[in-house]
């Protein structure tokens, strides 16, 4: 028998907004986590008021998550076995699951603390890993990314002298090797007689002249190290 002048929206006894025209909508913004009871109160053109039934809602706090291991920029020799560990919490519920991703590819997940998985046989390369925590109501949060480097170990072969070579004492023996590193650079080549270090060479062509070698039988090897400390 008239018209609706306004609709007031309440959270409990607190007025949170008013709409004065159809469709009587109010946007309640920046609502913090918690449980709320909402009602609407319609007032007509003559001041009569009706209150709606109460509506209970919950605003869920999303979980928090941080990768705790490995550290950012950690380096592993290839092929690597890497344990991924995350710390996750939920202020108003519980963490149901933590999934680990390499880029957009799912590596694996854990449904109970400690939230960890084993990432096995990881090939050489650089990877960006994140953890995605999901709480008991389905809200999820992604961690900051952690960068990992799986380093290909260098290769080396002793080319001089040849195996079972014979020299006249006192001998001068030229030591040389061929080597490579698929994903980096060589920083040094070491020449050894048994476990005794004969020389460390840090510049190309990475050769060494072993002088005044007395009579005897010797076992020689070469060890190469790349810029990340991997050795062969």
């Amino acid at each position: 028998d008239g018209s609706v002048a306004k609709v007031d929206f309440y959270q409990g006894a607190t007025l949170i907004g008013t709409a004065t025209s159809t469709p009587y909508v109010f946007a309640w913004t920046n609502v913090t986590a918690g449980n709320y009871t909402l009602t609407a109160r319609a007032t007509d053109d003559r001041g009569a008021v009706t209150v709606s039934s109460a509506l209970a809602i919950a605003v869920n706090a999303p979980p928090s998550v941080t990768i705790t291991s490995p550290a950012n920029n950690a380096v592993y020799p290839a092929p690597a076995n890497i344990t991924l560990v995350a710390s996750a919490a939920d202020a108003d519920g519980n963490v149901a699951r933590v999934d680990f991703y390499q880029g957009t590819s799912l590596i694996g997940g854990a449904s109970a603390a400690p939230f960890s998985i084993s990432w096995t046989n990881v090939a050489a390369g650089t990877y960006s890993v994140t953890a995605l925590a999901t709480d008991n109501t389905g809200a999820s949060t992604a961690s900051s990314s952690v960068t990992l480097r799986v380093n290909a170990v260098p290769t080396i072969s002793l080319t001089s002298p040849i195996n079972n070579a014979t020299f006249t004492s006192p001998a001068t023996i030229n030591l040389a090797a061929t080597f490579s590193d698929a994903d980096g650079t060589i920083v040094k080549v070491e020449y050894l007689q048994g476990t005794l270090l004969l020389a460390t060479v840090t510049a190309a062509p990475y050769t060494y002249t072993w002088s005044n070698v007395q009579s005897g039988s010797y076992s020689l090897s070469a060890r190469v190290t790349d810029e990340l400390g991997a050795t062969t």
Side-chain angles (χ1 to χ4, degrees):
D1 60 355
S3 60
V4 175
K6 66 176 181 177
V7 173
D8 295 315
F9 296 93
Y10 284 82
Q11 194 293 109
T14 302
L15 176 66
I16 57 175
T18 299
T20 58
S21 61
T22 185
Y24 304 107
V25 174
F26 168 70
W28 188 23
T29 60
N30 200 34
V31 184
T32 58
N35 296 309
Y36 301 94
T37 301
L38 305 179
T39 55
R41 302 184 186 185
T43 303
D44 71 8
D45 56 324
R46 296 190 180 187
V49 178
T50 300
V51 180
S52 72
S53 299
L55 176 70
I57 66 168
V59 177
N60 179 40
S64 61
V65 61
T66 303
I67 294 178
T68 57
S69 181
N72 194 37
N73 296 317
V75 178
Y76 296 85
N81 294 325
I82 304 171
T83 300
L84 302 176
V85 183
S87 174
D90 190 48
D92 59 355
N94 58 77
V95 176
R97 184 173 182 83
V98 174
D99 292 307
F100 295 90
Y101 287 82
Q102 194 294 108
T104 59
S105 299
L106 177 64
I107 302 170
S111 57
F115 299 102
S116 67
I117 64 167
S118 295
W119 189 18
T120 60
N121 201 33
V122 185
T126 300
Y127 300 94
S128 179
V129 176
T130 55
L132 182 71
T134 303
D135 71 10
N136 56 299
T137 63
S140 60
T141 302
S143 72
S144 299
S145 62
V146 170
T147 299
L148 308 177
R149 170 80 179 271
V150 178
N151 181 36
V153 295
T155 62
I156 190 167
S157 176
L158 190 64
T159 57
S160 177
I162 62 172
N163 195 36
N164 295 317
T166 300
F167 299 87
T168 301
S169 175
T172 298
I173 303 172
N174 295 317
L175 303 179
T178 58
F179 44 82
S180 65
D181 188 47
D183 61 353
T185 57
I186 300 302
V187 296
K188 66 179 179 180
V189 174
E190 297 168 294
Y191 292 100
L192 301 99
Q193 189 276 302
T195 59
L196 175 66
L197 177 64
L198 298 176
T200 300
V201 188
T202 58
Y206 298 99
T207 57
Y208 171 66
T209 301
W210 188 20
S211 302
N212 197 34
V213 183
Q214 300 303 307
S215 298
S217 295
Y218 301 95
S219 177
L220 303 178
S221 60
R223 180 168 59 211
V224 63
T225 304
D226 71 9
E227 84 283 6
L228 294 177
T231 63
T232 302

